[in-house]
Amino acid sequence: PDIDEKAIRHPDVETLVLTLGRAKATALLEGESGAQLKREGAWVLTGDQVVVCDGKMLEKPEDEQEARSFIGAYSKHPPSTVGSAVLTDASTGQQWETVFKATVHFDPIPEQTVNRLVEEGEIFHCAGGLMVEHPLVQPHIRSMEGTMDSVQGFDAASVCELLHKAAAARNSAAKLLGSSKVMGVWQAPHSTRTLCDIFGPPAHWRSSISSRVDLRPCTLQYAPSPRPNGEKDTQ
């Protein structure tokens, strides 16, 4: 949903990205699709990300001059990304959230490369104009503290942990209510579970996750598939 992100401000960047993630979840659940998401018991994943460089918080560049200024400073002042993930159980409103960070160290980026990035225009959709995955940018990355997916705004390990906690909470609630099966979630027989253990292989997710730097609102819903060797749900 569209929210006025500029109207939500906070001097602490971690608090800011979490507040924006919560605001997006609220807007989505109160929007036209909210009732359906609640009926389906969907997981709603939202978040936000900003770039911090030389002590300044950078969001999406508003014009060419600002984009050039952002990129030009990166070789002198390594930019750090601060992102959030907020997972909401649409049926109960319960939320789990986390913040993830990364820092990228750049060599000077040639003006010719900056010109091409500006012409393409994709940098205007990224916090700080930062596109570490771009083929024109990668040769100028000296080192990175953190993961590539974290810099891009979707830290898979962090989201996996949130989903694990959310699934456990839903399963616990179902047991208290005496339910034999919980929203199609398969309970793996082992204590160590990955994202795929909880929700099945990625091919069976129905998702609108954006792996770009701006993590837009999305939902994760489990699409049941047959278990190996005819194994059935154990819940």
Side-chain angles (χ1 to χ4, degrees):
D2 292 326
I3 66 170
D4 184 3
E5 296 188 20
K6 298 292 185 181
I8 301 175
R9 300 289 86 184
H10 197 283
D12 180 71
V13 291
E14 293 189 21
T15 301
L16 175 63
V17 294
L18 284 171
T19 301
L20 285 166
R22 296 183 201 117
K24 291 176 182 179
T26 298
L28 187 62
L29 292 175
E30 292 180 353
E32 59 181 20
S33 61
Q36 179 180 352
L37 293 173
K38 293 174 183 177
R39 285 196 304 270
E40 294 177 349
W43 303 112
V44 179
L45 180 63
T46 55
D48 197 75
Q49 186 181 56
V50 297
V51 173
V52 177
C53 182
D54 193 22
K56 300 176 182 177
M57 185 178 67
L58 310 181
E59 297 184 88
K60 299 172 188 175
E62 296 186 352
D63 52 40
E64 179 180 335
Q65 181 179 356
E66 190 169 51
R68 290 180 180 275
S69 175
F70 289 171
I71 297 172
Y74 289 161
S75 62
K76 299 178 181 178
H77 307 286
S80 295
T81 58
V82 183
S84 68
V86 179
L87 182 66
T88 305
D89 185 338
S91 61
T92 65
Q94 187 174 0
Q95 291 183 320
W96 298 263
E97 57 191 35
T98 190
V99 171
F100 42 88
K101 304 177 183 179
T103 299
V104 186
H105 298 266
F106 285 95
D107 290 323
I109 300 177
E111 183 177 358
Q112 182 179 4
T113 298
V114 178
N115 290 339
R116 291 184 61 183
L117 292 169
V118 169
E119 289 174 3
E120 290 181 3
E122 285 296 313
I123 58 175
F124 295 102
H125 303 291
C126 303
L130 189 62
M131 295 185 67
V132 293
E133 77 280 13
H134 199 291
L136 292 174
V137 176
Q138 288 194 347
H140 308 291
I141 297 175
R142 187 165 63 250
S143 62
M144 184 182 301
E145 301 167 25
T147 63
M148 178 69 79
D149 58 350
S150 178
V151 176
Q152 292 180 272
F154 183 79
D155 188 273
S158 296
V159 172
C160 177
E161 184 177 353
L162 293 184
L163 286 165
H164 181 103
K165 292 178 180 178
R170 182 176 284 186
N171 289 345
S172 295
K175 289 178 181 178
L176 290 174
L177 295 174
S179 174
S180 60
K181 188 174 181 180
V182 189
M183 303 304 297
V185 175
W186 178 62
Q187 177 68 52
H190 306 293
S191 59
T192 302
R193 298 187 296 164
T194 65
L195 185 62
C196 293
D197 288 329
I198 299 173
F199 289 99
H204 298 292
W205 299 348
R206 298 191 297 271
S207 171
S208 61
I209 289 178
S210 170
S211 60
R212 302 285 309 142
V213 170
D214 179 24
L215 179 61
R216 298 175 176 82
C218 69
T219 61
L220 283 173
Q221 299 169 285
Y222 179 69
S225 58
R227 310 313 308 178
N229 301 320
E231 181 182 353
K232 298 181 180 180
D233 292 330
T234 59
Q235 286 285 8

